Amino acid sequence: MSEIVIDVQGLGKEVSDAIGTLTILEDITFTIEAGQTVAIVGASGSGKSTLLGLLAGLDQPTAGSVRLAGELIAGLDEDGRALLRARKVGFVFQSFQLLPHLSALENVMLPLELQGVSEARARSMAMLGRVGLAERLHYYPKTLSGGEQQRVALARAFVTLPAVLLADEPTGSLDAVTGEGIMDLMFELNRDRGSTLVLVTHDLGIAARCERRITLAAGRIASIDPGPLRPV
């Protein structure tokens, strides 16, 4: 039996304000095995990005649990969650989250430098070349187009060769040709390194390339397709 790398049990997320309490996610339960490719799909507002953030420990649930790479996220403090992400997870934010005072190359080098990797510069240059930005190494985010910023964010997530790659609309700011190349790179990482790939997408063509699809509707699981990845 394959190793379970993501184990989600009864997950819920609510937010409260002066008006009342809004339920974003409710009773989400599923497992993902190491090396699987999984698309999280559903209408806007169904809770897809919130779920992805909870899987990475970027946010805390109000109910249930997430176990990532054998670690119960609720049992870790903020530093512990950051360390787990640094060791195991690559995360592609829909809003890029590039550091404005660092160049493209420096943004990609940062996670490797935090890990103490000696060849951080060479690896980062090579990865930026693979996403088509070999001529933009020393450009700062504000001088890059949205699509170029997206590619820097993808290179930063790829460069550590993470065990788990989580991506929120990874091709949302890319043209069709570049987006297809980026998805090829994602699936190559999955195939060659055995990385687990979980992505949020509105693109049904991308979702169809994944082994499993989790469909959310109004904060709950509407379906999990095909069989082995069904709620327990």
Side-chain angles (χ1 to χ4, degrees), residues 45-66:
S46 59
K48 302 185 302 297
S49 294
T50 298
L51 175 57
L52 202 69
L54 291 171
L55 297 185
L58 294 168
D59 194 7
Q60 293 282 35
T62 49
S65 65
V66 175

Side-chain angles (χ1 to χ4, degrees), residues 9 45 79 106 123-124 173 210 230:
Q9 298 294 324
D79 289 341
E106 290 166 338
R123 278 177 55 175
S124 299
S173 297
C210 295
R230 62 182 74 243

